[in-house]
Amino acid sequence: MPTPEDVLRCDPVMASLLERYDLESVDTNVDEYERLAVSIINQQLSTASANAVRGRVFDVLEGEVTPGRVLEADDDRLLEAGLSGQKLTYLRNAAAAFRERDLTREGLADHSNAEVRERLTAIRGIGDWTARMYLIFVLGRPDVLPLGDLAVRRGIEDLYNGGDDLSRAKIREIAEPWRPHRSLATRYIWAHYEDEDSSPP
């Protein structure tokens, strides 16, 4: 039985990424709501900005990022920590949803990726990108390709097309040989993109 790495090495470009980057394992023991909250905070922010806001929000919550704590926390303090009013609403929508139904690993274990995305995106403020991050980093689903992620698209365009734009259909075609391990391939694409983005001009 070939390993996920063996499958990815069949693609010469991906093989070079496996040689360059040593990825940490995904910690699928992370608290489900906390990881969803992180994805909401990260929406439409640079990595540095998201890290700063997340740190301040977690300080306000005293490290207890739970539905109950978020629902009870003082609005002004969370807003002062850098959350927009919209993101505060989204965090609370997600907190209420976690109280109303089982969105844990156990509760979603028998649901397909599409069904999980449908359940999560029914929560106002949870879009497809956030749902796919949940699939990868919370549920540990192995075959997720988040084409709504700009870094993934730009990384693939850089590696496979000299930086020129590619259609989503073409990107899916490029990613086809990575099945059923597109989540791992995605993480290598992110590693490349972040490396290139942090390189001096």
Side-chain angles (χ1 to χ4, degrees):
M1 177 75 70
T3 67
E5 289 78 9
D6 290 338
V7 172
L8 296 186
R9 284 192 183 96
C10 293
D11 176 339
V13 174
M14 192 58 62
S16 70
L17 296 184
L18 267 71
E19 293 302 315
R20 286 171 57 192
Y21 301 109
D22 185 19
L23 300 183
E24 294 182 6
S25 298
V26 173
D27 180 10
T28 52
N29 291 317
V30 67
D31 178 80
E32 294 97 333
Y33 175 75
E34 179 177 324
R35 189 60 184 78
L36 187 60
V38 168
S39 291
I40 292 171
I41 293 169
N42 288 355
Q43 289 172 5
Q44 299 178 325
L45 291 179
S46 69
T47 300
S49 296
N51 288 341
V53 173
R54 183 170 69 246
R56 293 194 298 267
V57 169
F58 280 28
D59 285 345
V60 170
L61 299 171
E62 298 179 350
E64 189 181 338
V65 189
T66 63
R69 189 77 179 209
V70 167
L71 289 169
E72 295 162 6
D74 181 74
D75 287 11
D76 290 339
R77 292 193 64 202
L78 289 173
L79 294 171
E80 288 167 6
L83 280 182
S84 65
Q86 187 176 57
K87 284 190 179 180
L88 176 54
T89 297
Y90 293 168
L91 285 176
R92 291 198 164 139
N93 288 345
F98 263 76
R99 283 189 159 183
E100 292 165 4
R101 49 194 180 273
D102 191 350
L103 298 174
T104 64
R105 295 175 191 88
E106 293 75 15
L108 296 173
D110 294 330
H111 291 74
S112 69
N113 288 357
E115 289 168 340
V116 171
R117 285 164 48 207
E118 183 178 357
R119 284 186 169 231
L120 291 175
T121 56
I123 304 166
R124 185 170 177 270
I126 306 298
D128 190 67
W129 179 85
T130 303
R132 289 177 189 267
M133 295 305 101
Y134 197 82
L135 284 165
I136 295 172
F137 292 106
V138 177
L139 303 185
R141 299 290 175 91
D143 198 36
V144 180
L145 182 66
L147 291 186
D149 188 286
L150 180 63
V152 171
R153 296 201 309 276
R154 292 290 179 264
I156 291 173
E157 289 167 349
D158 181 52
L159 288 163
Y160 291 86
N161 202 43
D164 293 335
D165 290 350
L166 289 167
S167 67
R168 292 200 180 197
K170 183 60 180 177
I171 291 175
R172 288 190 186 93
E173 181 183 324
I174 289 168
E176 192 63 25
W178 308 340
R179 286 181 182 271
H181 305 291
R182 290 181 298 174
S183 297
L184 180 60
T186 291
R187 294 179 60 224
Y188 278 104
I189 296 293
W190 274 323
H192 165 78
Y193 180 83
E194 290 171 6
D195 196 20
E196 293 297 304
D197 199 42
S198 62
S199 299

